[in-house]
Amino acid sequence: MMMMSCEYMKSNIDEKEETKIRLMRALVEKQDPSSKEVDDPTLRRFLRARDLDVEKASGMFLKYLKWRQTFVPNGSISLSEVPNELSQNKMFMQGFDKKGRPIATVLGARHFQNKLGGLEEFKRFVVYILDKICSRMPPGQEKFVVIGDLKGWGYSNSDLRAYLGALSILQDYYPERLGKLFIVHAPYIFMTVWKIVYPFIDNNTKKKIVFVQDKKLKSTLLEEIDESQIPEIYGGQLPLVPIQET
């Protein structure tokens, strides 16, 4: 009886979402005909990010379309547009968790403020990363996992404008893409910066962030990732692969 009740509720939720997707599609296609090329799962992510409010989700989606057309006019970011960020060798992607979500690893102590390409190059790098991760998702999967490793992080790595820029891109233009963010080896001094960033994180994203204690690192990762898919540096079996080589 309980199972039937759960299935009934799920089908009701699905029907409600489908109805709202149709309403949203009619609204956005009227405003921007290029919306016709966008699939339903994309519209659903924007809807869920705005608690199924069609008007708010449509506004968010139309803003995304406009941003994409101006910020990524060629459809993708090329390696030649992010040379200084790539040279820091801080972003890696390998393996999948138990749900089939691709796993990215970022080494925070290798990030330094980009004095040559500036904040704009960093933002292009964030888009390059997110597009690359999303392209690696298996059919039916829409989310990814990140291991944010702060071992050796110090004030010289602190870059508030970059952190807030990345957060804004993730929340505004890639809603409902982050499945889980494991923050590992976080030094005490990082919490000073975290307190500044935290208020800018929306509630949906906050639920997906986990600070992992060093002594529970491997056991925490094993709850969601098979050992064969965990990076070697955390006691698993996969070597880190630079994101541009995946």
Side-chain angles (χ1 to χ4, degrees), residues 2-243:
M2 179 67 81
M3 188 177 285
M4 284 178 68
S5 169
C6 288
E7 285 173 0
Y8 176 73
M9 282 173 68
K10 186 177 184 299
S11 82
N12 265 7
I13 290 167
D14 289 345
E15 278 179 35
K16 187 180 177 185
E17 282 194 349
E18 293 304 321
T19 303
K20 298 219 169 194
I21 288 169
R22 286 195 294 273
L23 287 169
M24 182 177 170
R25 183 171 289 286
L27 203 60
V28 296
E29 286 183 6
K30 192 176 176 183
Q31 301 262 354
D32 187 336
S34 70
S35 305
K36 290 176 182 174
E37 298 168 22
V38 176
D39 59 15
D40 283 357
T42 300
L43 295 183
R44 183 183 286 112
R45 285 195 300 275
F46 281 85
L47 264 173
R48 287 177 175 172
R50 289 297 174 265
D51 298 318
L52 303 187
D53 184 313
V54 172
E55 203 168 311
K56 285 182 181 176
S58 298
M60 183 189 189
F61 176 74
L62 290 167
K63 185 183 168 192
Y64 156 77
L65 275 188
K66 194 174 179 183
W67 164 81
R68 189 85 194 178
Q69 287 155 8
T70 53
F71 198 77
V72 198
N74 300 321
S76 64
I77 302 290
S78 67
L79 293 177
S80 62
E81 293 178 84
V82 289
N84 302 297
E85 293 297 334
L86 285 172
S87 70
Q88 293 181 357
N89 197 32
K90 59 193 170 189
M91 197 75 210
F92 305 85
M93 183 167 63
Q94 62 291 299
F96 298 87
D97 76 352
K98 293 174 183 177
K99 294 178 181 175
R101 301 179 294 191
I103 302 165
T105 304
V106 56
L107 302 182
R110 292 189 182 179
H111 172 82
F112 296 93
Q113 195 175 95
N114 188 334
K115 292 195 167 83
L116 294 170
L119 187 61
E120 284 307 296
E121 185 186 337
F122 176 77
K123 287 179 179 177
R124 287 196 298 274
F125 185 57
V126 172
V127 173
Y128 171 80
I129 290 166
L130 291 171
D131 285 353
K132 191 93 169 173
I133 297 171
C134 292
S135 72
R136 200 160 177 264
M137 291 172 183
Q141 183 52 258
E142 297 183 73
K143 296 181 186 288
F144 59 84
V145 171
V146 177
I147 300 172
D149 190 336
L150 297 175
K151 190 173 189 176
W153 186 95
Y155 281 127
S156 62
N157 306 113
S158 181
D159 191 355
L160 265 175
R161 287 172 71 223
Y163 299 160
L164 293 173
L167 181 65
S168 175
I169 289 170
L170 177 68
Q171 293 183 160
D172 295 344
Y173 306 130
Y174 294 81
E176 297 297 304
R177 282 300 201 184
L178 178 67
K180 185 71 71 80
L181 167 59
F182 296 102
I183 297 180
V184 306
H185 301 314
Y188 182 72
I189 54 168
F190 175 74
M191 300 318 290
T192 313
V193 174
W194 183 248
K195 282 174 187 170
I196 299 169
V197 174
Y198 192 75
F200 293 93
I201 305 174
D202 68 37
N203 289 331
N204 282 342
T205 306
K206 282 174 182 170
K207 294 172 193 168
K208 300 166 185 173
I209 301 171
V210 180
F211 278 84
V212 184
Q213 293 176 23
D214 285 359
K215 62 183 178 184
K216 293 182 179 175
L217 177 48
K218 190 176 180 185
S219 62
T220 301
L221 294 179
L222 280 169
E223 287 171 17
E224 308 226 11
I225 310 168
D226 287 327
E227 189 168 341
S228 66
Q229 300 295 299
I230 292 175
E232 287 174 341
I233 56 172
Y234 308 122
Q237 296 172 16
L238 285 188
L240 291 179
V241 180
I243 194 158

